[in-house]
Amino acid sequence: MDEDTDNPIIEEEQAMETSSDDSDDDSEPDDVKENQLRQKVEDISKQVAENALYYDGHVNLIKALQELGELEEARKAREKMSEVYPLTAELWLEWIRDEQKVCSSEEEKQFIRDLFDRAVKDYMNVQLWVEYIMFMLGCGDMEATRMVGERALTAVGTHVAEGTMVWEVVLMVEKQIYASLQKPGVVPSDQDLKNQEKQLQKIQKLFKRQVRVPLRSCNSDSVLEEASEYFEGGVEKYMQDDLKKSQNALKEIAPYEDELIEDQGDAEKLAVYRKYIAHIKETNNPAAVQNLYERAVADFCLDPGIWEEYVRFVIRQFYGLDYVVLPVCERSQRNCPWSGALCEFYITAIQMFAVEGEEASTAAKVKDALEKGIGCGLQSGSEATRMWMAYLVFLRRQIKWDQPHDKQLDEFREATQQAMEFIDKYFGEEGDLETRIPRFWAQIEAEYEKSPEQARAIWNDTIMKRNNNFKNANMWLEFINLERSYGTEKHCRKLFRRALERVWDWVEMIGSAYQRFEEETGTLETMEEFSDRYKDRMVIVNKKRAEDTIKEAEEEGKESRSGRWARERQSKKEKKKVRAESSNTQTQEVFKSPLPVTKPAYRESDKLKGSNGISEPQQGGKVHPRPTSKDSTDMPPPPGYKGDVAPPPGYKGDVAPPPGYKGDVAPPPGFKGDVAPPPGFKGDVAPPPGFKASTAEKLHPTKRKAHPSADEPEAKSFKAEEAHGVLTKKNPQDDMCTIFLSNLDFHVDKDEIIPVFQQCGDIADFRLVKDFRCRSKGFGYLVFKTREGAVKGLELDRTIINGRPVFVSPYDPDNHTHKFRYALNEEKNKLFVRGLSFDMTEDDVKKAFEPHGKIKDIRLVVYRNGHSKGTCYIEYDDAETAEKVRQAMDGEELNEKIINVLISDPSNKKSLTTVPGPSPSPVVLGSSRPKQGSGMRGRGMFSLMPRVVQRKKPEVSPTDTPTNQDQKSPAENQDQNKKSNADFRKMFLSK
């Protein structure tokens, strides 16, 4: 053994075995990760194959293939995604950089150029253009690099925020070319001098163009200094003027650029873009407007509204330029394929720039646009109708009616049938509420094909059987006008008769049109027939209208008095709100706490003060009195009022004092003011113990009180502020930092509230609302110093303070957001549990239900004092789990109580009765349930029927089931209830 251990060869073999074992151990995690990635790729590939519109699936598949290093498969995945969606700038750059790693041949370089061309067409991105220019520069083709640079300047050179980068790269390329033409140590030839001069002029032109563009990150001094190197004698004067103009233009748009940089929501940022675009449109610079639209659609590529605005702009501004309009329309539909408006715009643009002789190619493009729109999983039938209508209009335009057109007409009819079947299949009759497609078809058949029979069949068999169109007077009039224009008088008169019988709402309109028709085309007999039909029909219609009016009046009469009071209170609140808004425009102070403040007694000195405490100016020696109406605004002057009466001629104001007047008489010498009290004076004598002042003395005290101390007014003011609140300057930010607390214990104060919410942020103020006796009303307002603190404070909703759950909600003085937060319809994935023990908590309920299915959310219904109501709601991920749990737990016993488990349906509360038999009659809130008994009526009610006649209802025996009772014929029941005069006489005599 010792020899084996000392042998170096054996030691080396053992070391090699150990290292191989370590490498195997290291490779095992890599193999596991690779297997996981391959499994992930397989799963995502199946999902993408099933749904080609799965955007996240495409992105995740590309990332997984990148991690595996499968560049060929990643290229296929990217190609597949680009067929469905436009790729973002980040996805394009990742693809191009992956291809650059393996680029070696000219074919591969050309493939990368094609990728760059496709990338810059999807979205406007400065970084993409810079990478494109640098790639072309690396290829060594200067002319091609110049062309790409010129395209980049046209596309993104006016980008205010990032355009400087493109200008610098293009200038760098031209400067390198100019430097290569200068060969030090070599005498240049005439051709070399010409080339240098030509290149120098190109650089000068670039500088002249750059100074005209407002660029945010461009330093004007550095640009002039750099440009002066290429101009003999320095930069020209007009270039400096252009630079100043561009800087002034930059100052005008700087606020919009600042708002775009700020961190804000999508809606706010999109609104800034729209304001920015409107401002640029006023400058009459279409290129700048297009550049700004490109920036907007790059940030909001899935917003069909901004795309629609962009498409409308390019069609109107660049009408006839197919290389501008068509790409924008195509990109808009690729980004928002579900938009019917964008699909319609694209189909219209294809027709605008169709080439004569290439009708088949144009038709194929239009059909592809339609299939892309309807194949993206539409959610609205109106969008599908708009797409199909655009396609049908295109097919109608392709038909040449003065030539043989059977094939084109059959194609149109087939497409119309497909459109109606598609909409009916996915959206039903509501998908095309206006019945646009069949109406369009009928119009084409009647007007162009001259086939009123076909049009009549479409109206009778399709249009009038959809969406209750047979009750629509406008539909009947359209059908009648079509028949009158292209049909016969006989069929037209039949339509008028049918319309008059089926329409209820606008019978007069049908009658008026019917009368004009008979006046223009009818005879005396047909006119008499119309008159009789119309009179008979109006009798029926007016009778129905009278019945409907009576029914509506009865329903309005059944409305409770509380409902009317509620409307009156609401109207009063609205009036107060209007008055408050009108007064807030004039005052600068608002009451911060909604507590009543005792109004001071009206003094004569207040006559000279306005509503804000500032003395009103006197005009003409008169004082304007305060308004005496309920509103704080001034009363309007009466008719004919011409203002204050002007003073008479010669009036010079107040009379001047006589000559020698020296003002008030000075006090005599030695005057020392009030006499000081004698030594030992201690003020008013205190009353003896037990002394009680009389009522007269309390109401009319005769002795003056001692002068208050300097701190007494301050203390009184602080006490009043604590009790009733203070007047402060309105701060709009306070509303954003305020939360509303309710269900507070009536003995709680701010010392108990503030520590609970201190964890959310610094608290600026807490205002507890009190009544006129300074007692808490159970709610208040908590003001944080920051908006973030208020948001965190909302998370403490239903926190227990002094044994009561405190309700925390956003501050909303107008009561706009105080809405019911729970659904009122049936929720199949949510269970309603009742009959719970009142001492069970949410955790107890969850522990009992959790074994039967995973719970998504649970809510125990409690009173305002925090005590359980014995009911709760349990939400699951799907309806199947909820139904399984309901079947398992319904009727089970929890804490010695039998529970009921139902599917949550608040709208069906009335049908949820636990006691078998007829449900009790509903009781109106605020009323008492009438006592019922044998032969008794409700309190306050009496009957004139003798008690002898009043009989108890016979009890139903178990054998007399409702089914057996129902099986008796009405005649048998009636015979049993009949009584003769002798029977009644016996009943009275037996008494």
Side-chain angles (χ1 to χ4, degrees), residues 5 238 259 369 396 487 602 784 877 951 975:
T5 14
Y238 72 90
E259 290 186 46
R396 195 272 303 165
Y602 183 75
F784 289 87
D877 292 328
R951 296 180 298 112
D975 293 341

Side-chain angles (χ1 to χ4, degrees), residues 691-705:
F691 174 78
K692 296 182 179 180
S694 63
T695 305
E697 290 177 350
K698 290 180 181 179
L699 297 176
H700 306 287
T702 57
K703 293 185 178 181
R704 291 187 302 174
K705 294 182 180 180

Side-chain angles (χ1 to χ4, degrees), residues 389 432-433 462 517 527 533 544 571 634 759 903 928:
M389 278 299 302
D432 188 6
L433 285 174
T462 304
F517 171 75
M527 190 68 176
R533 286 178 179 271
K544 184 177 182 299
S571 62
D634 295 335
Q759 56 181 332
I903 298 296
S928 61

Side-chain angles (χ1 to χ4, degrees), residues 568-587 629-634:
E568 292 175 1
R569 287 196 299 268
Q570 184 65 24
S571 62
K572 289 180 180 179
K573 287 181 180 179
E574 292 177 356
K575 291 179 180 178
K576 289 181 180 180
K577 183 180 176 181
V578 172
R579 290 198 297 267
E581 290 177 353
S582 62
S583 61
N584 285 340
T585 58
Q586 299 178 3
T587 182
S629 65
K630 295 182 180 180
D631 298 337
S632 61
T633 55
D634 295 335

Side-chain angles (χ1 to χ4, degrees), residues 326-352:
L326 274 177
V328 173
C329 295
E330 181 184 6
R331 289 164 51 209
S332 68
Q333 197 199 16
R334 288 190 66 197
N335 282 272
C336 304
W338 60 86
S339 173
L342 296 178
C343 179
E344 182 181 5
F345 280 135
Y346 185 31
I347 292 176
T348 304
I350 294 174
Q351 298 174 67
M352 287 171 57

Side-chain angles (χ1 to χ4, degrees), residues 118 526 530 557 735 813 824 847 946 986:
R118 291 166 58 186
T526 57
F530 154 72
D735 294 351
L824 298 177
K847 189 180 299 183
K986 290 179 182 180

Side-chain angles (χ1 to χ4, degrees), residues 536-564:
D536 295 342
R537 181 60 177 169
M538 288 307 300
V539 170
I540 300 174
V541 171
N542 290 330
K543 181 179 179 181
K544 184 177 182 299
R545 289 176 180 175
E547 293 175 354
D548 294 341
T549 304
I550 295 172
K551 189 181 296 184
E552 292 176 1
E554 291 177 354
E555 292 177 356
E556 292 179 359
K558 292 179 182 179
E559 188 177 6
S560 64
R561 183 178 300 176
S562 60
R564 293 195 297 271

